[in-house]
């Protein structure tokens, strides 16, 4: 590789998706400053760590979903889980939501499995506020095709347990502390306003 190739390879990471919005577009719900740190530094660091850890191993040829399933416990899984969780997280938001709540098949399943959209929302809010320390809360589809809300510690991810992650809330302090300080509940209740339900629904396939 020549110098330019090395430079480009160090900037571009297959593990860091391009944001589908400008870094200030989600303000005031998520500030540009938070996106700059969370996407630009935290996710980038997990991606860099993962790339170093899998270099020269069989995992290097796998997709992030395959890596999350196959990774040995410890540093590889911790970084892979965080990479995949953050990819899904940043791609699930939009500054211009087409819908306030899901329509179609996802709406039908939510009513079947939770009673109503508002009940699902309440359960996800409660799980997010109740998760002790750092972690994630996911709306997932289980192996039986049922919707569930599951909290996971640290970088753990539903895919590891055969569940499909649909919508994830990051409750690590780095996700909200600059904008909300200790007000995790306020941050979570605001996130619903920027969910891209078309993207969340697409993940069911
Ligand atoms: Mn995070």
């Amino acid at each position: 590789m020549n110098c330019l190739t090395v430079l480009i390879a160090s900037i571009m990471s297959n593990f860091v998706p391009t944001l589908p919005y400008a870094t200030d577009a989600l303000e005031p719900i998520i500030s540009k400053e938070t996106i700059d740190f969370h996407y630009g530094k935290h996710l980038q660091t997990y991606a860099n760590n993962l790339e170093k850890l899998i270099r020269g191993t069989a995992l290097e040829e796998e997709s992030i979903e395959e890596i999350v399933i196959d990774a040995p416990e410890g540093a590889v899984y911790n970084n892979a889980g965080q990479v995949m969780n953050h990819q899904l997280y940043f791609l699930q938001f939009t500054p211009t939501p087409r819908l306030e709540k899901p329509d179609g098949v996802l709406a039908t399943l939510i009513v079947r499995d939770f009673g109503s959209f508002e009940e699902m929302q309440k359960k996800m809010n409660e799980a997010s506020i109740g998760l002790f320390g750092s972690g994630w809360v996911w709306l997932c589809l289980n192996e039986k095709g049922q919707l569930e809300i599951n909290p996971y510690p640290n970088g753990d991810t539903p895919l590891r347990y055969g569940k499909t992650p649909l919508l994830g809330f990051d409750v690590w302090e780095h996700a909200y502390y600059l904008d909300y300080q200790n007000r995790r509940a306020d941050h979570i209740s605001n996130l619903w306003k920027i969910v891209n339900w078309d993207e969340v629904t697409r993940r069911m396939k």
Side-chain angles (χ1 to χ4, degrees), residues 99-146:
L99 299 162
E100 280 180 25
K101 45 174 103 167
D103 59 2
V105 62
L106 181 55
T108 305
L109 289 189
I110 286 173
V111 171
R112 186 195 69 186
D113 295 340
F114 297 100
S116 68
F117 174 77
E118 289 69 26
E119 194 56 32
M120 182 278 289
Q121 213 174 15
K122 187 167 157 249
K123 285 208 165 76
M124 193 144 167
N125 288 343
E126 285 169 357
S128 302
I129 295 159
L131 197 158
F132 184 79
S134 297
W136 291 79
V137 173
W138 287 95
L139 172 67
C140 351
L141 202 57
N142 70 19
E143 309 90 319
K144 294 176 186 162
Q146 298 156 330

Side-chain angles (χ1 to χ4, degrees), residues 38 86 136 170 174:
H38 197 187
H86 284 92
W136 291 79
D170 183 346
H174 68 226

Side-chain angles (χ1 to χ4, degrees), residues 32-198:
K32 178 182 188 310
E33 195 182 12
T34 291
I35 295 282
D36 286 344
F37 275 96
H38 197 187
Y39 170 82
K41 305 243 187 270
H42 288 275
L43 171 55
Q44 187 66 56
T45 300
Y46 297 127
N48 292 347
N49 290 346
L50 183 61
E51 276 168 12
K52 278 193 205 118
L53 287 163
I54 66 173
R55 196 167 295 150
T57 76
L59 294 174
E60 202 174 20
E61 305 304 317
E62 296 189 352
S63 68
I64 187 62
E65 290 79 11
E66 291 167 328
I67 296 171
V68 161
I69 292 165
D70 296 340
E73 286 292 329
V76 179
Y77 178 59
N78 292 341
N79 283 283
Q82 281 293 67
V83 165
M84 197 195 71
N85 284 342
H86 284 92
Q87 288 179 351
L88 294 167
Y89 178 80
F90 286 112
L91 297 177
Q92 77 194 359
F93 296 126
T94 172
T96 52
R98 184 179 70 83
L99 299 162
E100 280 180 25
K101 45 174 103 167
D103 59 2
V105 62
L106 181 55
T108 305
L109 289 189
I110 286 173
V111 171
R112 186 195 69 186
D113 295 340
F114 297 100
S116 68
F117 174 77
E118 289 69 26
E119 194 56 32
M120 182 278 289
Q121 213 174 15
K122 187 167 157 249
K123 285 208 165 76
M124 193 144 167
N125 288 343
E126 285 169 357
S128 302
I129 295 159
L131 197 158
F132 184 79
S134 297
W136 291 79
V137 173
W138 287 95
L139 172 67
C140 351
L141 202 57
N142 70 19
E143 309 90 319
K144 294 176 186 162
Q146 298 156 330
L147 293 173
E148 293 178 348
I149 286 165
N150 297 115
Y152 295 91
N154 303 316
D156 210 359
T157 171
L159 198 62
R160 187 80 162 181
Y161 309 98
K163 303 175 199 294
T164 305
L166 302 180
L167 174 69
F169 289 166
D170 183 346
V171 301
W172 286 58
E173 285 187 345
H174 68 226
Y176 60 90
Y177 215 84
L178 290 173
D179 302 334
Y180 298 83
Q181 292 76 50
N182 62 332
R183 300 188 310 278
R184 186 192 282 187
D186 292 349
H187 169 68
I188 295 298
S189 68
N190 273 336
L191 288 181
W192 295 102
K193 300 172 189 165
I194 51 171
V195 173
N196 182 346
W197 288 108
D198 293 313

Side-chain angles (χ1 to χ4, degrees), residues 1-12:
M1 284 199 285
N2 63 32
C3 287
L4 184 63
T5 314
V6 172
L7 181 66
I8 290 169
S10 70
I11 295 168
M12 306 270 292

